[in-house]
Amino acid sequence: EPEVTQTPSHQVTQMGQEVILRCVPISNHLYFYWYRQILGQKVEFLVSFYNNEISEKSEIFDDQFSVERPDGSNFTLKIRSTKLEDSAMYFCASTRGTLYQPQHFGDGTRLSIL
Amino acid sequence: DAKTTQPTSMDCAEGRAANLPCNHSTISGNEYVYWYRQIHSQGPQYIIHGLKNNETNEMASLIITEDRKSSTLILPHATLRDTAVYYCIVRVDKAGNTDKLIFGTGTRLQVFP
């Protein structure tokens, strides 16, 4: 069964550094998402992306965040200048977008900011 | 999206049925009930969804009350691998609807030997 894959599984970065989290959505999917989960808290929506542009973003997704689909397969989340509070699990999800099709999630990247 | 209420935690013996309730008393007529689960530190996993009829797939069954104000997810023969947090989410579902999922705190199901 096709799945969403994310790399790396764990990323350790110094505060203030840039980080890029990578995702390969399911190949025939058209809508892409990033969510995050701070340890012990709820899964929170960050951003949705379709047709090479952001569809919706949350208040968390400020100017330090950006997303890109640089080629036909990858979907990336960039944090320009990381803060301690960016430490979290980051999940990528995708869906075909047709009726009854759920969002499928990757297993996440654990981001640790030192 | 309508809000849901779920118990914080539940236990279930291995091999027995796990029945996870969800209240969604303010659900609208065009909103579906979705269930996801999250096994420790993994990404949320889709389980099942339904509108008003009961649904069954290889993972679980979904029973929705006639007034649609509550539902129950049933894992017919729980295994230790079913230990997870289970999320009940209500949302509109139509062709092209790609809205974000709004997760609550869910129910932590512990399956014991």
Side-chain angles (χ1 to χ4, degrees):
Chain A
E1 184 176 322
E3 55 184 30
V4 176
T5 57
Q6 292 186 241
T7 55
S9 57
H10 190 191
Q11 174 79 47
V12 181
T13 301
Q14 291 288 331
M15 186 174 58
Q17 295 296 305
E18 176 183 286
V19 66
I20 297 175
L21 309 183
R22 303 181 190 279
C23 168
V24 179
I26 295 173
S27 62
N28 64 349
H29 285 188
L30 302 174
Y31 296 82
F32 314 109
Y33 309 80
W34 284 101
Y35 293 80
R36 80 171 187 190
Q37 186 175 32
I38 295 171
L39 185 63
Q41 298 187 21
K42 299 178 188 179
V43 177
E44 303 173 286
F45 167 78
L46 291 178
V47 65
S48 58
F49 190 87
Y50 170 71
N51 199 27
N52 279 322
E53 60 183 32
I54 291 174
S55 308
E56 184 180 359
K57 60 183 181 180
S58 72
E59 291 180 354
I60 302 166
F61 194 88
D62 62 22
D63 292 344
Q64 293 301 311
F65 291 87
S66 62
V67 290
E68 189 179 31
R69 189 156 162 82
D71 52 41
S73 59
N74 291 284
F75 179 51
T76 62
L77 174 69
K78 182 194 290 187
I79 308 175
R80 253 179 285 281
S81 178
T82 50
K83 303 186 285 285
L84 294 176
E85 53 264 40
D86 294 327
S87 295
M89 284 291 291
Y90 288 81
F91 296 109
C92 173
S94 69
T95 180
R96 179 116 178 99
T98 51
L99 193 62
Y100 307 134
Q101 294 302 308
Q103 292 180 26
H104 294 268
F105 286 75
D107 277 340
T109 293
R110 179 176 300 282
L111 178 62
S112 299
I113 307 299
L114 304 179
Chain B
D1 289 339
K3 290 184 178 178
T4 63
T5 305
Q6 300 178 251
T8 302
S9 63
M10 295 182 66
D11 291 339
C12 179
E14 190 176 20
R16 304 297 294 269
N19 298 285
L20 292 95
C22 178
N23 285 320
H24 30 80
S25 58
T26 59
I27 192 169
S28 301
N30 61 349
E31 287 183 312
Y32 283 68
V33 181
Y34 276 77
W35 284 83
Y36 279 77
R37 74 179 182 183
Q38 188 176 22
I39 297 170
H40 179 65
S41 293
Q42 295 181 19
Q45 178 189 23
Y46 166 77
I47 301 172
I48 198 168
H49 75 284
L51 182 63
K52 54 184 177 182
N53 297 320
N54 298 337
E55 302 287 343
T56 296
N57 63 20
E58 65 278 4
M59 290 182 69
S61 294
L62 175 60
I63 308 298
I64 302 173
T65 58
E66 195 169 335
D67 63 8
R68 301 208 327 118
K69 293 185 177 181
S70 65
S71 60
T72 301
L73 178 75
I74 301 173
L75 308 179
H77 305 287
T79 70
L80 298 179
R81 288 177 297 178
D82 292 321
T83 293
V85 178
Y86 288 76
Y87 300 100
C88 170
I89 300 169
V90 295
R91 62 194 295 263
V92 175
D93 190 14
K94 58 184 186 294
N97 175 41
T98 53
D99 287 351
K100 60 184 179 290
L101 292 170
I102 300 174
F103 289 84
T105 53
T107 295
R108 183 172 298 278
L109 175 68
Q110 179 69 53
V111 180
F112 58 90

